[in-house]
Amino acid sequence: MSMILFACVVRVRDGLPLSASTDFHLNQDFLECRKRLKALSLILAQYPDRGTAAGRGFNIHFHSSGDIACMGICTSTCPTVMAFCFLEELQWKFSASYDSTSISLATRPYAFLEFDNIIQKVKYHFNYTSCSQMKNNLEKIQEELKFHPPVLLKVEDTELMNGLINGHTEVHMGSAPTYRMQPVTPLGILSLVLNIMCGALNLIRGVHLAEYSFQEDREGIGNVIVFLLSFLACIFQCYLYLFHGSSRKMKAFVLFFSICLCNIYLYGLRNIWQILFHIGVACLSSYQILTRQLMEKQPDFGV
């Protein structure tokens, strides 16, 4: 019989599930344990790197390291050292597969769905491999647990856990991924490509003009600054379209008018058609920023 029943990888700062094993257990106590695991994942930052929450017939184990935490549900007969050996193996494999930047930028649950297969393989290995074959790893973890024992919790007696599960306790998470942006449209992709092109043109013209201005014409430094400001405005327009932020509408208008003013200032270095092209791209980008709205999505920790 399997002793390790379920495992998942979550982001420590907000409990966002990144990957999880697929389970088909319908035992009521197990399903209750899954709910408690979900609640515990939201407040992992409050606990040390290793911990165990004892339940009725099942135990929840967690191992945090850096940005991520590996969590598992095991039967009460599963040795603690084996559970933490399993979680450490998962943590090592996940860290080897994904960098901290991609983990930090993840906005939707189960963004690393392809890692599910690895969880299944590691889980199967630990469930059906004899302890004698894992002797070295188990001894290493046993030694670590001796000096740094996991914090012990009782999930049934934790009032905060019950409040989270039943929806009565309000928990403020600074960056909980309750919302995400609507999907990028083909017109949005076009606006990004054109904006990047305009930004590149501004940067190239600015750099070339800077080389000439510092050598020959000091009065052209103002034009260099305007080209570089236009480049930055284009980049920020791309950022605003891709990512949600506060005061999004105001920033979009400020960037649009900045690009318009910069191009009007550059009249003489650019003809009227070039100016209209840059302003047209800025207008399209601003429209895409304003029309791409948030899509409400409730956190879903189920597999």
Side-chain angles (χ1 to χ4, degrees), residues 248-279:
R248 202 158 177 261
K249 184 181 290 187
M250 185 189 72
K251 291 174 183 176
F253 281 117
V254 169
L255 289 173
F256 173 70
F257 286 117
S258 297
I259 290 174
C260 291
L261 291 174
C262 287
N263 278 279
I264 292 171
Y265 182 87
L266 294 172
Y267 182 70
L269 293 176
R270 279 181 173 154
N271 61 44
I272 188 66
W273 295 110
Q274 290 173 324
I275 291 173
L276 288 176
F277 173 75
H278 281 267
I279 292 176

mmCIF file of all heavy atoms in Angstrom, residues 248-279:
data_model
loop_
_atom_site.group_PDB
_atom_site.id
_atom_site.type_symbol
_atom_site.label_atom_id
_atom_site.label_comp_id
_atom_site.label_asym_id
_atom_site.label_seq_id
_atom_site.Cartn_x
_atom_site.Cartn_y
_atom_site.Cartn_z
ATOM 1 N N ARG A 248 -3.224 52.244 -13.844
ATOM 2 C CA ARG A 248 -2.866 51.804 -15.196
ATOM 3 C C ARG A 248 -3.350 52.784 -16.266
ATOM 4 O O ARG A 248 -2.622 53.102 -17.211
ATOM 5 C CB ARG A 248 -3.487 50.420 -15.419
ATOM 6 C CG ARG A 248 -2.841 49.590 -16.494
ATOM 7 C CD ARG A 248 -3.154 48.128 -16.265
ATOM 8 N NE ARG A 248 -2.596 47.312 -17.320
ATOM 9 C CZ ARG A 248 -3.280 46.864 -18.352
ATOM 10 N NH1 ARG A 248 -4.554 47.156 -18.451
ATOM 11 N NH2 ARG A 248 -2.708 46.120 -19.277
ATOM 12 N N LYS A 249 -4.573 53.270 -16.110
ATOM 13 C CA LYS A 249 -5.142 54.180 -17.108
ATOM 14 C C LYS A 249 -4.365 55.487 -17.163
ATOM 15 O O LYS A 249 -4.033 55.984 -18.252
ATOM 16 C CB LYS A 249 -6.612 54.449 -16.774
ATOM 17 C CG LYS A 249 -7.318 55.306 -17.806
ATOM 18 C CD LYS A 249 -8.768 55.562 -17.421
ATOM 19 C CE LYS A 249 -9.612 54.312 -17.518
ATOM 20 N NZ LYS A 249 -11.053 54.591 -17.313
ATOM 21 N N MET A 250 -4.054 56.053 -16.007
ATOM 22 C CA MET A 250 -3.319 57.317 -15.959
ATOM 23 C C MET A 250 -1.930 57.162 -16.589
ATOM 24 O O MET A 250 -1.486 58.011 -17.366
ATOM 25 C CB MET A 250 -3.178 57.789 -14.512
ATOM 26 C CG MET A 250 -2.534 59.159 -14.378
ATOM 27 S SD MET A 250 -2.148 59.582 -12.678
ATOM 28 C CE MET A 250 -0.770 58.497 -12.355
ATOM 29 N N LYS A 251 -1.252 56.057 -16.272
ATOM 30 C CA LYS A 251 0.076 55.814 -16.840
ATOM 31 C C LYS A 251 0.011 55.680 -18.353
ATOM 32 O O LYS A 251 0.898 56.155 -19.069
ATOM 33 C CB LYS A 251 0.689 54.562 -16.216
ATOM 34 C CG LYS A 251 1.069 54.710 -14.756
ATOM 35 C CD LYS A 251 1.541 53.395 -14.169
ATOM 36 C CE LYS A 251 1.853 53.526 -12.678
ATOM 37 N NZ LYS A 251 2.220 52.225 -12.081
ATOM 38 N N ALA A 252 -1.047 55.032 -18.851
ATOM 39 C CA ALA A 252 -1.195 54.853 -20.304
ATOM 40 C C ALA A 252 -1.335 56.202 -20.995
ATOM 41 O O ALA A 252 -0.710 56.439 -22.042
ATOM 42 C CB ALA A 252 -2.397 53.961 -20.592
ATOM 43 N N PHE A 253 -2.151 57.107 -20.421
ATOM 44 C CA PHE A 253 -2.332 58.434 -21.023
ATOM 45 C C PHE A 253 -1.041 59.260 -20.953
ATOM 46 O O PHE A 253 -0.694 59.959 -21.916
ATOM 47 C CB PHE A 253 -3.474 59.176 -20.322
ATOM 48 C CG PHE A 253 -4.839 58.748 -20.770
ATOM 49 C CD1 PHE A 253 -5.724 58.170 -19.886
ATOM 50 C CD2 PHE A 253 -5.231 58.901 -22.098
ATOM 51 C CE1 PHE A 253 -6.986 57.761 -20.302
ATOM 52 C CE2 PHE A 253 -6.488 58.494 -22.523
ATOM 53 C CZ PHE A 253 -7.377 57.912 -21.630
ATOM 54 N N VAL A 254 -0.342 59.179 -19.828
ATOM 55 C CA VAL A 254 0.913 59.931 -19.677
ATOM 56 C C VAL A 254 1.932 59.471 -20.715
ATOM 57 O O VAL A 254 2.604 60.292 -21.362
ATOM 58 C CB VAL A 254 1.483 59.758 -18.249
ATOM 59 C CG1 VAL A 254 2.905 60.296 -18.172
ATOM 60 C CG2 VAL A 254 0.604 60.476 -17.238
ATOM 61 N N LEU A 255 2.046 58.160 -20.898
ATOM 62 C CA LEU A 255 2.995 57.630 -21.876
ATOM 63 C C LEU A 255 2.609 58.028 -23.297
ATOM 64 O O LEU A 255 3.474 58.387 -24.110
ATOM 65 C CB LEU A 255 3.071 56.104 -21.760
ATOM 66 C CG LEU A 255 3.758 55.552 -20.517
ATOM 67 C CD1 LEU A 255 3.618 54.041 -20.451
ATOM 68 C CD2 LEU A 255 5.230 55.945 -20.483
ATOM 69 N N PHE A 256 1.307 57.980 -23.605
ATOM 70 C CA PHE A 256 0.855 58.346 -24.951
ATOM 71 C C PHE A 256 1.178 59.808 -25.259
ATOM 72 O O PHE A 256 1.742 60.128 -26.314
ATOM 73 C CB PHE A 256 -0.653 58.096 -25.082
ATOM 74 C CG PHE A 256 -1.224 58.599 -26.377
ATOM 75 C CD1 PHE A 256 -0.918 57.964 -27.583
ATOM 76 C CD2 PHE A 256 -2.050 59.715 -26.395
ATOM 77 C CE1 PHE A 256 -1.441 58.440 -28.788
ATOM 78 C CE2 PHE A 256 -2.573 60.186 -27.588
ATOM 79 C CZ PHE A 256 -2.274 59.550 -28.786
ATOM 80 N N PHE A 257 0.838 60.704 -24.342
ATOM 81 C CA PHE A 257 1.104 62.125 -24.578
ATOM 82 C C PHE A 257 2.597 62.426 -24.580
ATOM 83 O O PHE A 257 3.062 63.325 -25.295
ATOM 84 C CB PHE A 257 0.380 62.980 -23.534
ATOM 85 C CG PHE A 257 -1.105 63.067 -23.758
ATOM 86 C CD1 PHE A 257 -1.997 62.554 -22.825
ATOM 87 C CD2 PHE A 257 -1.613 63.647 -24.909
ATOM 88 C CE1 PHE A 257 -3.363 62.615 -23.037
ATOM 89 C CE2 PHE A 257 -2.985 63.721 -25.129
ATOM 90 C CZ PHE A 257 -3.869 63.205 -24.197
ATOM 91 N N SER A 258 3.377 61.664 -23.812
ATOM 92 C CA SER A 258 4.835 61.844 -23.823
ATOM 93 C C SER A 258 5.405 61.503 -25.196
ATOM 94 O O SER A 258 6.261 62.233 -25.729
ATOM 95 C CB SER A 258 5.484 60.956 -22.762
ATOM 96 O OG SER A 258 5.058 61.323 -21.475
ATOM 97 N N ILE A 259 4.917 60.403 -25.778
ATOM 98 C CA ILE A 259 5.399 60.001 -27.111
ATOM 99 C C ILE A 259 4.981 61.033 -28.154
ATOM 100 O O ILE A 259 5.772 61.385 -29.052
ATOM 101 C CB ILE A 259 4.846 58.601 -27.464
ATOM 102 C CG1 ILE A 259 5.508 57.548 -26.573
ATOM 103 C CG2 ILE A 259 5.099 58.272 -28.936
ATOM 104 C CD1 ILE A 259 4.940 56.154 -26.718
ATOM 105 N N CYS A 260 3.751 61.547 -28.036
ATOM 106 C CA CYS A 260 3.285 62.584 -28.973
ATOM 107 C C CYS A 260 4.166 63.825 -28.884
ATOM 108 O O CYS A 260 4.620 64.359 -29.913
ATOM 109 C CB CYS A 260 1.839 62.953 -28.675
ATOM 110 S SG CYS A 260 0.647 61.652 -29.072
ATOM 111 N N LEU A 261 4.434 64.300 -27.679
ATOM 112 C CA LEU A 261 5.250 65.508 -27.489
ATOM 113 C C LEU A 261 6.675 65.304 -27.974
ATOM 114 O O LEU A 261 7.268 66.195 -28.601
ATOM 115 C CB LEU A 261 5.237 65.911 -26.009
ATOM 116 C CG LEU A 261 3.906 66.445 -25.454
ATOM 117 C CD1 LEU A 261 3.999 66.665 -23.955
ATOM 118 C CD2 LEU A 261 3.518 67.743 -26.155
ATOM 119 N N CYS A 262 7.228 64.112 -27.687
ATOM 120 C CA CYS A 262 8.598 63.823 -28.130
ATOM 121 C C CYS A 262 8.699 63.849 -29.658
ATOM 122 O O CYS A 262 9.660 64.389 -30.224
ATOM 123 C CB CYS A 262 9.047 62.459 -27.601
ATOM 124 S SG CYS A 262 9.414 62.429 -25.830
ATOM 125 N N ASN A 263 7.701 63.255 -30.329
ATOM 126 C CA ASN A 263 7.743 63.211 -31.795
ATOM 127 C C ASN A 263 7.512 64.585 -32.414
ATOM 128 O O ASN A 263 8.107 64.908 -33.446
ATOM 129 C CB ASN A 263 6.708 62.206 -32.315
ATOM 130 C CG ASN A 263 7.218 60.777 -32.269
ATOM 131 O OD1 ASN A 263 7.958 60.343 -33.149
ATOM 132 N ND2 ASN A 263 6.859 60.056 -31.222
ATOM 133 N N ILE A 264 6.666 65.393 -31.776
ATOM 134 C CA ILE A 264 6.480 66.769 -32.261
ATOM 135 C C ILE A 264 7.782 67.561 -32.100
ATOM 136 O O ILE A 264 8.173 68.342 -32.978
ATOM 137 C CB ILE A 264 5.325 67.454 -31.494
ATOM 138 C CG1 ILE A 264 3.990 66.792 -31.863
ATOM 139 C CG2 ILE A 264 5.291 68.944 -31.794
ATOM 140 C CD1 ILE A 264 2.820 67.236 -31.005
ATOM 141 N N TYR A 265 8.481 67.335 -30.996
ATOM 142 C CA TYR A 265 9.763 68.004 -30.743
ATOM 143 C C TYR A 265 10.791 67.616 -31.811
ATOM 144 O O TYR A 265 11.656 68.432 -32.186
ATOM 145 C CB TYR A 265 10.269 67.631 -29.356
ATOM 146 C CG TYR A 265 11.563 68.307 -28.966
ATOM 147 C CD1 TYR A 265 11.563 69.564 -28.365
ATOM 148 C CD2 TYR A 265 12.792 67.684 -29.206
ATOM 149 C CE1 TYR A 265 12.756 70.188 -28.016
ATOM 150 C CE2 TYR A 265 13.983 68.293 -28.860
ATOM 151 C CZ TYR A 265 13.963 69.547 -28.269
ATOM 152 O OH TYR A 265 15.152 70.158 -27.925
ATOM 153 N N LEU A 266 10.701 66.371 -32.282
ATOM 154 C CA LEU A 266 11.673 65.857 -33.243
ATOM 155 C C LEU A 266 11.333 66.203 -34.694
ATOM 156 O O LEU A 266 11.981 65.700 -35.618
ATOM 157 C CB LEU A 266 11.803 64.331 -33.101
ATOM 158 C CG LEU A 266 12.411 63.836 -31.783
ATOM 159 C CD1 LEU A 266 12.298 62.334 -31.672
ATOM 160 C CD2 LEU A 266 13.868 64.275 -31.662
ATOM 161 N N TYR A 267 10.306 67.043 -34.898
ATOM 162 C CA TYR A 267 9.949 67.461 -36.262
ATOM 163 C C TYR A 267 11.133 68.208 -36.884
ATOM 164 O O TYR A 267 11.658 69.163 -36.333
ATOM 165 C CB TYR A 267 8.715 68.366 -36.238
ATOM 166 C CG TYR A 267 8.266 68.793 -37.623
ATOM 167 C CD1 TYR A 267 7.698 67.877 -38.495
ATOM 168 C CD2 TYR A 267 8.415 70.109 -38.042
ATOM 169 C CE1 TYR A 267 7.289 68.258 -39.757
ATOM 170 C CE2 TYR A 267 8.014 70.512 -39.301
ATOM 171 C CZ TYR A 267 7.454 69.573 -40.168
ATOM 172 O OH TYR A 267 7.058 69.958 -41.420
ATOM 173 N N GLY A 268 11.546 67.735 -38.011
ATOM 174 C CA GLY A 268 12.761 68.246 -38.651
ATOM 175 C C GLY A 268 13.761 67.122 -38.777
ATOM 176 O O GLY A 268 14.420 66.964 -39.826
ATOM 177 N N LEU A 269 13.891 66.322 -37.701
ATOM 178 C CA LEU A 269 14.702 65.112 -37.779
ATOM 179 C C LEU A 269 13.868 63.948 -38.329
ATOM 180 O O LEU A 269 14.408 62.959 -38.817
ATOM 181 C CB LEU A 269 15.244 64.745 -36.393
ATOM 182 C CG LEU A 269 16.271 65.714 -35.803
ATOM 183 C CD1 LEU A 269 16.647 65.294 -34.388
ATOM 184 C CD2 LEU A 269 17.522 65.773 -36.672
ATOM 185 N N ARG A 270 12.540 64.088 -38.218
ATOM 186 C CA ARG A 270 11.608 63.115 -38.786
ATOM 187 C C ARG A 270 10.606 63.862 -39.659
ATOM 188 O O ARG A 270 10.201 64.980 -39.318
ATOM 189 C CB ARG A 270 10.858 62.370 -37.668
ATOM 190 C CG ARG A 270 11.641 61.242 -37.053
ATOM 191 C CD ARG A 270 10.829 60.550 -35.976
ATOM 192 N NE ARG A 270 11.528 59.362 -35.504
ATOM 193 C CZ ARG A 270 11.377 58.833 -34.299
ATOM 194 N NH1 ARG A 270 10.536 59.395 -33.441
ATOM 195 N NH2 ARG A 270 12.036 57.745 -33.957
ATOM 196 N N ASN A 271 10.191 63.218 -40.753
ATOM 197 C CA ASN A 271 9.162 63.854 -41.575
ATOM 198 C C ASN A 271 7.789 63.573 -40.983
ATOM 199 O O ASN A 271 7.646 62.792 -40.039
ATOM 200 C CB ASN A 271 9.244 63.398 -43.037
ATOM 201 C CG ASN A 271 9.042 61.889 -43.181
ATOM 202 O OD1 ASN A 271 8.160 61.312 -42.564
ATOM 203 N ND2 ASN A 271 9.873 61.264 -44.016
ATOM 204 N N ILE A 272 6.766 64.171 -41.574
ATOM 205 C CA ILE A 272 5.413 64.093 -41.005
ATOM 206 C C ILE A 272 4.883 62.662 -40.994
ATOM 207 O O ILE A 272 4.179 62.248 -40.070
ATOM 208 C CB ILE A 272 4.457 65.029 -41.788
ATOM 209 C CG1 ILE A 272 3.092 65.122 -41.082
ATOM 210 C CG2 ILE A 272 4.315 64.573 -43.237
ATOM 211 C CD1 ILE A 272 3.142 65.784 -39.742
ATOM 212 N N TRP A 273 5.256 61.860 -42.010
ATOM 213 C CA TRP A 273 4.761 60.485 -42.071
ATOM 214 C C TRP A 273 5.395 59.613 -40.988
ATOM 215 O O TRP A 273 4.736 58.742 -40.406
ATOM 216 C CB TRP A 273 5.027 59.889 -43.455
ATOM 217 C CG TRP A 273 4.265 60.592 -44.540
ATOM 218 C CD1 TRP A 273 4.766 61.400 -45.511
ATOM 219 C CD2 TRP A 273 2.840 60.578 -44.715
ATOM 220 N NE1 TRP A 273 3.761 61.896 -46.302
ATOM 221 C CE2 TRP A 273 2.566 61.406 -45.838
ATOM 222 C CE3 TRP A 273 1.781 59.968 -44.044
ATOM 223 C CZ2 TRP A 273 1.265 61.624 -46.293
ATOM 224 C CZ3 TRP A 273 0.491 60.166 -44.496
ATOM 225 C CH2 TRP A 273 0.235 60.986 -45.612
ATOM 226 N N GLN A 274 6.661 59.855 -40.720
ATOM 227 C CA GLN A 274 7.329 59.110 -39.638
ATOM 228 C C GLN A 274 6.712 59.453 -38.283
ATOM 229 O O GLN A 274 6.486 58.576 -37.434
ATOM 230 C CB GLN A 274 8.822 59.427 -39.636
ATOM 231 C CG GLN A 274 9.562 58.852 -40.824
ATOM 232 C CD GLN A 274 11.000 59.321 -40.881
ATOM 233 O OE1 GLN A 274 11.322 60.467 -40.537
ATOM 234 N NE2 GLN A 274 11.894 58.447 -41.339
ATOM 235 N N ILE A 275 6.430 60.741 -38.100
ATOM 236 C CA ILE A 275 5.822 61.182 -36.832
ATOM 237 C C ILE A 275 4.431 60.557 -36.666
ATOM 238 O O ILE A 275 4.078 60.060 -35.594
ATOM 239 C CB ILE A 275 5.744 62.720 -36.780
ATOM 240 C CG1 ILE A 275 7.164 63.309 -36.652
ATOM 241 C CG2 ILE A 275 4.870 63.188 -35.606
ATOM 242 C CD1 ILE A 275 7.216 64.814 -36.753
ATOM 243 N N LEU A 276 3.631 60.573 -37.742
ATOM 244 C CA LEU A 276 2.292 59.991 -37.681
ATOM 245 C C LEU A 276 2.349 58.483 -37.414
ATOM 246 O O LEU A 276 1.492 57.941 -36.704
ATOM 247 C CB LEU A 276 1.538 60.266 -38.985
ATOM 248 C CG LEU A 276 1.091 61.718 -39.211
ATOM 249 C CD1 LEU A 276 0.442 61.863 -40.582
ATOM 250 C CD2 LEU A 276 0.123 62.169 -38.110
ATOM 251 N N PHE A 277 3.366 57.821 -37.975
ATOM 252 C CA PHE A 277 3.514 56.373 -37.740
ATOM 253 C C PHE A 277 3.780 56.097 -36.262
ATOM 254 O O PHE A 277 3.145 55.237 -35.649
ATOM 255 C CB PHE A 277 4.653 55.818 -38.595
ATOM 256 C CG PHE A 277 4.973 54.380 -38.291
ATOM 257 C CD1 PHE A 277 4.142 53.357 -38.716
ATOM 258 C CD2 PHE A 277 6.114 54.051 -37.557
ATOM 259 C CE1 PHE A 277 4.445 52.024 -38.424
ATOM 260 C CE2 PHE A 277 6.416 52.725 -37.255
ATOM 261 C CZ PHE A 277 5.572 51.710 -37.694
ATOM 262 N N HIS A 278 4.719 56.831 -35.668
ATOM 263 C CA HIS A 278 5.060 56.625 -34.254
ATOM 264 C C HIS A 278 3.869 56.947 -33.346
ATOM 265 O O HIS A 278 3.600 56.206 -32.384
ATOM 266 C CB HIS A 278 6.266 57.491 -33.878
ATOM 267 C CG HIS A 278 7.573 56.918 -34.319
ATOM 268 N ND1 HIS A 278 8.351 56.113 -33.517
ATOM 269 C CD2 HIS A 278 8.248 57.019 -35.499
ATOM 270 C CE1 HIS A 278 9.443 55.759 -34.169
ATOM 271 N NE2 HIS A 278 9.410 56.296 -35.374
ATOM 272 N N ILE A 279 3.160 58.043 -33.659
ATOM 273 C CA ILE A 279 1.996 58.399 -32.850
ATOM 274 C C ILE A 279 0.875 57.361 -33.029
ATOM 275 O O ILE A 279 0.175 57.011 -32.075
ATOM 276 C CB ILE A 279 1.502 59.813 -33.202
ATOM 277 C CG1 ILE A 279 2.544 60.854 -32.749
ATOM 278 C CG2 ILE A 279 0.146 60.113 -32.558
ATOM 279 C CD1 ILE A 279 2.208 62.286 -33.125
#
